Amino acid sequence: MLEAILAGLSALSEGVRFLSTQGGPNLVMLGIAGVMFYLAVAKGVEPLLLLPIAFGCMLVNLPLSEVMSHEGVLRTFYDMGIGNELFPLLIFVGIGSMTDFSPLLANPRLLLFGAAGQLGIFLTLLLALALGFSRESAVAVAAIGACDGPTVIYVSNLFAGLGKIPEAMVGSLAVAAYSYMALVPIIQPPIMRLLTTKKERQTPMPPVAGRVSPTALMVFPIVVTVITGIIAPKGLPLMGMIMLGNFIKVTGVAGRLAKASENEIANIATLFLGLAIGGTMLGTDFLRKETMLVFALGLVAIVIDTVGGLLLGKLWYLLSGGRINPLIGAAGISAYPMAARLVQNEGQRWDKQNFLLMHAMAANTGGQIGSVMAAAIMLSVLKGLGVI
Amino acid sequence: MDNLTFGLTMLIVGMGGTLLTLYVLTLVITAITRLFPADKAGARRD
């Protein structure tokens, strides 16, 4: 009897024994989960994503946790929506439904900033290869330059599913991507000031006079889907889902679907995606030199994105005889609408009468399309090269 | 194919392809907005 009681008590203390003997990495990860809780709750840093990611990270790193083992709850979420790419795509439906493309349709030429804002992806790819990453890992890391969490998860998980990169890397990439997206207000303004002169920053932009017809808004998502799908079919799920969400919204005939896309579908997918991503952050797999490099390269990617947009802005400023404010180029990334607001704030800082918001929104929605397009083209080129 | 060639290929085709595709889209959007111009009653001011 006494032996049985002791055996039972011993079983209950196994967790403590595990932590004291080989739980170092787990304790570090529990600390990281704590930092993520703090950032999300106290600082408001991407709470919708960081809270479930941090909770998943905590669950998987508690001693002897089985949440990511076969049939564990987080493994089920992972297989249900990460392993098959479903959750990022559902989030894209929501993003499409939340995005207003009318500023872009009124100023289509500003879409080009959305291409310049992807420079970080491709230069970071070169840098990652130089640092010894495998081709697939380098592409996955470079995708952080898309400044778009679901795109990063989609691309990295595609490689993880093919066994080309470790599953734990999906977690580090996702956390890096969302962290830097949240840090865009800290990363971008110093670069804007460094690369532009006061005169350039004060360049006035005329009020947007254009109007957009509802028919044009409805035709736009269909045409974009068809054209980009023909050019880069590997990215069709990404672009298709964004444009589906937008199409549902702008038609105005399926309000319930639009509301569900923006709210229930996006929210449920975000919750499960976050938990499952957090579940990949097991200490022994996560705490590696590569993870530190992923974070460093992610920062480099977003800095280069901003530089790329600003340089195109400066070129445009020169070619147009000073009629384009180069700050707008910084909005050519996918962090919507944060990047556009930053450009507006920075412009007003130097001239209170200068309203750059609608121009920046056009560039920013261009950045959303550009980031997805860049990822789609990368995947299609990789297929063409026989890498995937 | 060595890593440098791979990286440069991705840079040239990837960045070039993105730029080209978005340029095509600017032309298409311009065409759409001209084909379906806004009227006073149904237009959205951006």
Side-chain angles (χ1 to χ4, degrees):
Chain A
M1 177 72 179
L2 184 63
E3 259 181 37
I5 291 172
L6 286 174
L9 287 174
S10 168
L12 289 179
S13 63
E14 264 182 44
V16 177
R17 266 187 281 137
F18 177 89
L19 273 185
S20 59
T21 53
Q22 49 186 307
N26 299 59
L27 286 171
V28 172
M29 292 309 292
L30 289 173
I32 290 175
V35 171
M36 286 195 279
F37 284 139
Y38 171 76
L39 290 174
V41 176
K43 299 290 178 188
V45 176
E46 296 281 342
L48 293 181
L49 251 300
L50 272 194
L51 279 183
I53 288 177
F55 213 94
C57 174
M58 182 184 80
L59 289 177
V60 79
N61 282 290
L62 287 172
L64 310 176
S65 165
E66 294 182 348
V67 291
M68 272 303 268
S69 61
H70 184 59
E71 294 187 352
V73 61
L74 297 192
R75 171 60 61 190
T76 305
F77 288 150
Y78 190 93
D79 293 343
M80 201 167 73
I82 305 282
N84 56 17
E85 320 279 348
L86 179 66
F87 291 155
L89 296 176
L90 288 178
I91 292 174
F92 266 136
V93 178
I95 291 172
S97 195
M98 287 178 235
T99 304
D100 179 8
F101 285 110
S102 52
L104 180 64
L105 266 70
N107 295 277
R109 62 192 178 140
L110 297 181
L111 182 59
L112 292 178
F113 283 125
Q118 314 312 319
L119 185 64
I121 296 178
F122 300 102
L123 290 183
T124 305
L125 171 62
L126 275 173
L127 191 57
L129 287 168
L131 288 171
F133 279 83
S134 70
R135 291 175 186 185
E136 295 82 2
S137 300
V139 171
V141 174
I144 297 176
C147 218
D148 186 353
T151 300
V152 174
I153 294 169
Y154 184 88
V155 171
S156 58
N157 193 65
L158 193 70
F159 296 138
L162 294 169
K164 307 263 189 182
I165 66 170
E167 201 177 76
M169 200 172 169
V170 180
S172 58
L173 287 163
V175 173
Y178 280 109
S179 303
Y180 289 132
M181 279 168 64
L183 291 174
V184 160
I186 295 167
I187 296 170
Q188 281 203 321
I191 305 171
M192 290 183 198
R193 285 167 218 153
L194 190 71
L195 289 185
T196 55
T197 63
K198 189 178 174 188
K199 188 184 169 198
E200 287 172 339
R201 291 193 289 272
Q202 288 176 324
T203 306
M205 293 293 290
V208 178
R211 288 162 171 263
V212 180
S213 78
T215 313
L217 280 170
M218 276 186 260
V219 173
F220 171 74
I222 301 288
V223 171
V224 170
T225 305
V226 171
I227 291 176
T228 57
I230 290 169
I231 294 172
K234 284 294 281 182
L236 193 53
L238 295 170
M239 192 65 86
M241 290 303 108
I242 281 198
M243 292 302 154
L244 166 68
N246 189 254
F247 185 62
I248 289 171
K249 180 190 177 184
V250 295
T251 54
V253 294
R256 279 167 51 197
L257 288 186
K259 275 181 75 176
S261 303
E262 283 180 38
N263 298 296
E264 291 84 356
I265 292 174
N267 290 341
I268 291 169
T270 301
L271 173 64
F272 291 161
L273 176 135
L275 277 170
I277 291 295
T280 65
M281 295 170 68
L282 184 63
T284 45
D285 299 332
F286 191 87
L287 296 174
R288 292 165 179 241
K289 188 184 79 178
E290 287 79 9
T291 305
M292 299 300 117
L293 281 174
V294 162
F295 274 80
L297 287 169
L299 178 61
V300 169
I302 291 178
V303 168
I304 299 175
D305 282 345
T306 308
V307 171
L310 286 168
L311 289 182
L312 179 63
K314 285 174 79 76
L315 181 67
W316 209 326
Y317 173 86
L318 284 174
L319 296 178
S320 67
R323 285 190 296 177
I324 283 275
N325 189 316
L327 286 178
I328 294 169
I333 61 171
S334 187
Y336 174 87
M338 194 192 295
R341 287 193 187 133
L342 281 172
V343 168
Q344 161 74 0
N345 292 344
E346 195 60 29
Q348 292 232 312
R349 189 185 158 109
W350 302 95
D351 179 358
K352 293 270 182 250
Q353 302 304 313
N354 204 1
F355 293 93
L356 304 176
L357 186 63
M358 295 319 289
H359 301 86
M361 287 292 248
N364 206 179
T365 47
Q368 283 195 305
I369 293 176
S371 66
V372 174
M373 202 57 227
I377 286 177
M378 270 204 308
L379 292 176
S380 291
V381 174
L382 288 173
K383 192 182 178 206
L385 294 175
V387 177
I388 56 172
Chain B
M1 185 192 292
D2 60 79
N3 274 352
L4 181 63
T5 311
F6 170 74
L8 288 174
T9 305
M10 292 296 287
L11 173 66
I12 294 164
V13 182
M15 195 64 215
T18 306
L19 200 55
L20 189 65
T21 307
L22 295 200
Y23 178 67
V24 170
L25 285 180
T26 61
L27 300 180
V28 170
I29 294 170
T30 306
I32 291 172
T33 49
R34 283 189 188 162
L35 208 58
F36 305 104
D39 57 66
K40 282 181 184 171
R44 284 175 60 168
R45 186 178 288 279
D46 50 342

